[in-house]
Amino acid sequence: MIDARSYAREHAPRFRQQYEALLRIPSVSTLPQHAADVERAAQWLAGDMRAIGMDSAEVLRLAGGRHPLVLGEWKGAGEAAPTVLLYAHYDVQPAAMEDGWDSDPFEPVERDGRLFCRGSVDSKLHVMSQLKAVEALLASPGGAPVNIRVLLEGEEESGSETISAFVAQQPERVRADVAVISDGVVLAPDQPSLVYALRGIATMELHVDGPVQDLHSGHFGGTLHNPLQALAEIIAQLHDAEGRVSVPGFYDDVVEADAAERALLAHTNQWSEREWEAVADAPARHGERGYNTQERIGLRPTLEINGLGGGYTGPGFKTVLPQRAMAKISCRLVPDQDPQRIHALLQSHIAAITPPTVRSELRQLDMGSRAVTLGHDTRAMRAAAAAYERAWGVAPLYERAGGSIPVTFALQEVCEELVIMGFGTRDGRAHGPNENVHVESLERGITAMIHFLQTIGRNGELA
């Protein structure tokens, strides 16, 4: 037997092949027509867990759950050793050629040192980094120095309701000394970073109704309030001219960052600026005055309009006044903001500003998730920093991420420490067309996970 790092290097070509095989499974959790593909991915992962020598591997289905969890366990380190829970998600966002892809979104294609495929960075990179690190450790002398639980989710991109229920109902099956959530990205291919805070999220739909049916715009135009127009007028009142949310009470629970934290985050702003210029490239920046790009992303809450619907949008023209219009709204939340309270505040404000000529209803789409702060000097975070430095050759910087990982708050309740370890890069176009990953990211992810688990298990104590 050889050591884990040598094993990983020797088997790197096979690891790449397995990674691509998983990418070819279109495990889109939001679309019912892909339910069988999500199931197929779950079975593939459970089979791989068994093949690499884990003691058990189950595809778990909860009553009322839409997609399965996959739970694997290895207890070979003994009762005195710490237990580490590894989490990632294997479901992906929808993708189609007409979205702007340059190649089949579910067929991995390498171009210029990058692998293009849906899920390549979000988040099958992390699934495979975890599994192949575990494989390498189990194949090395003495096996892994920690007991391992691997929990893989199939609906992170569509609400995480099943895993939240599972953690609440069976906490003993996920309890651990340390939990590692593998998701997200680092600042740049040559500069790793560690996320110590995530924003929460609340999602809603705003429905505006007017007449009892679609109407001829010539016969009825000028006699009623067009629901699309009314919707636009309501939405326009949710922000002020400088991009600050104008819903009363929205900022009541927001705690301002102190000077030390703003100084810590200042080191990462240059990468946030570069990503904005390379990916967003809008005519000009827009947002709260007094905050730089990284602070707007990590420190401040937002209210965004994610989609609009209503009326006729097909080819040609249809002179119709629509019966109804709809907007999808999401709020990214910071610590101390409660998703339920935010929904209630928006509901009250929208009711107050809805004109009497139409009816409005704000529907909550899910329970939302709170923001999470992990701290940047915990024992697990120090072990993660050492792992990143081993894999990249450069010490990581620290950042607050703008995104949300719904399961984080639940896992904090059952695990003593939690750390987030992402291995993709910001230029990977997650959720968009031509999602991609630098080909060396898988090797770095595996190396980092091996080193992290070895560090946590050193002498049977947390490092």
Side-chain angles (χ1 to χ4, degrees):
M1 297 177 73
I2 58 177
D3 66 88
R5 287 288 309 282
S6 298
Y7 179 95
R9 284 193 294 269
E10 179 180 327
H11 292 269
R14 176 173 59 82
F15 290 173
R16 167 75 177 268
Q17 291 173 355
Q18 291 180 300
Y19 175 40
E20 293 189 9
L22 182 60
L23 287 172
R24 290 188 178 96
I25 303 175
S27 49
V28 181
S29 62
T30 59
L31 300 178
Q33 60 266 38
H34 283 289
D37 295 312
V38 179
E39 174 73 25
R40 183 157 57 100
Q43 295 293 344
W44 190 99
L45 292 164
D48 191 63
M49 288 183 189
R50 298 184 193 103
I52 67 176
M54 299 195 76
D55 297 332
S56 63
E58 300 176 68
V59 176
L60 301 172
R61 299 171 188 83
L62 268 65
R66 291 183 298 112
H67 298 299
L69 302 169
V70 185
L71 179 64
E73 193 163 24
W74 185 81
K75 300 179 182 179
E79 292 184 4
T83 295
V84 178
L85 173 71
L86 305 179
Y87 162 90
H89 70 90
Y90 65 90
D91 64 318
V92 300
Q93 286 278 325
M97 286 295 295
E98 54 266 29
D99 296 334
W101 285 77
D102 294 332
S103 55
D104 184 339
F106 291 103
E107 179 57 42
V109 175
E110 183 176 341
R111 296 193 295 269
D112 301 321
R114 299 183 186 223
L115 190 67
F116 291 79
C117 194
R118 174 59 88 221
S120 57
V121 67
D122 188 15
S123 196
K124 292 176 180 178
L125 166 68
H126 302 101
V127 171
M128 295 305 293
S129 293
Q130 289 183 343
L131 287 179
K132 298 302 109 178
V134 171
E135 177 179 336
L137 285 167
L138 297 188
S140 62
V146 296
N147 298 309
I148 297 170
R149 286 173 167 160
V150 180
L151 180 62
L152 304 177
E153 180 186 4
E155 55 185 54
E156 194 272 348
E157 300 289 8
S158 56
S160 289
E161 294 176 3
T162 297
I163 196 169
S164 297
F166 178 68
V167 174
Q169 294 168 13
Q170 303 184 52
E172 71 284 352
R173 301 201 67 185
V174 295
R175 203 176 303 280
D177 298 285
V178 177
V180 180
I181 292 178
S182 277
D183 201 349
V185 296
V186 299
L187 290 172
D190 57 353
Q191 178 56 67
S193 56
L194 276 167
V195 168
Y196 69 91
L198 294 166
R199 289 194 292 190
I201 192 169
T203 58
M204 294 153 265
E205 281 184 355
L206 172 57
H207 292 258
V208 175
D209 297 324
V212 295
Q213 64 180 45
D214 290 354
L215 297 173
H216 191 294
S217 65
H219 294 168
F220 292 93
T223 68
L224 56 83
H225 202 164
N226 186 318
L228 276 169
Q229 179 182 336
L231 175 65
E233 292 166 354
I234 293 169
I235 288 173
Q237 297 179 66
L238 299 181
H239 297 84
D240 65 18
E242 294 181 351
R244 186 177 172 86
V245 178
S246 54
V247 176
F250 186 82
Y251 294 97
D252 284 357
D253 297 323
V254 177
V255 178
E256 291 287 340
D258 59 24
E261 183 166 22
R262 294 185 78 172
L264 179 70
L265 291 173
H267 295 294
T268 65
N269 188 57
Q270 60 176 305
W271 280 276
S272 296
E273 296 279 357
R274 291 174 190 168
E275 180 187 29
W276 193 95
E277 292 169 358
V279 180
D281 194 25
R285 284 171 174 76
H286 181 69
E288 278 190 272
R289 181 176 294 180
Y291 299 95
N292 63 32
T293 301
Q294 165 59 210
E295 291 171 340
R296 289 173 180 173
I297 292 170
L299 285 176
R300 304 301 294 167
T302 64
L303 187 158
E304 301 291 352
I305 311 304
N306 304 113
L308 295 170
Y312 179 72
T313 59
F317 205 89
K318 185 177 181 182
T319 53
V320 65
L321 299 177
Q323 177 189 8
R324 61 178 63 93
M326 179 273 291
K328 290 185 179 288
I329 299 172
S330 67
C331 295
R332 296 286 181 173
L333 310 177
V334 296
D336 295 336
Q337 286 186 303
D338 179 5
Q340 302 303 310
R341 182 170 187 267
I342 292 298
H343 174 259
L345 290 173
L346 262 72
Q347 194 172 45
S348 177
H349 182 59
I350 288 172
I353 64 176
T354 298
T357 48
V358 294
R359 295 173 295 274
S360 70
E361 179 187 7
L362 186 67
R363 303 174 185 173
Q364 189 174 14
L365 294 185
D366 56 48
M367 297 300 291
S369 60
R370 287 177 173 268
V372 172
T373 302
L374 305 175
H376 50 80
D377 194 31
T378 65
R379 294 170 295 173
M381 191 69 81
R382 290 195 296 272
Y388 275 78
E389 189 162 3
R390 174 66 65 90
W392 269 263
V394 178
L397 298 176
Y398 295 90
E399 62 175 325
R400 296 179 70 121
S404 309
I405 303 175
V407 75
T408 309
F409 192 81
L411 291 182
Q412 272 193 313
E413 300 295 303
V414 295
C415 298
E416 292 184 17
E417 292 194 48
L418 190 148
V419 67
I420 298 169
M421 298 178 69
F423 307 125
T425 53
R426 290 189 171 200
D427 58 0
R429 300 183 182 274
H431 289 208
N434 297 313
E435 179 180 349
N436 68 87
V437 65
H438 293 265
V439 293
E440 67 269 18
S441 294
L442 180 60
E443 179 184 351
R444 283 174 168 168
I446 295 169
T447 299
M449 286 305 308
I450 290 172
H451 190 72
F452 177 85
L453 293 169
Q454 289 174 331
T455 302
I456 292 296
R458 190 172 296 139
N459 299 322
E461 300 176 355
L462 294 176

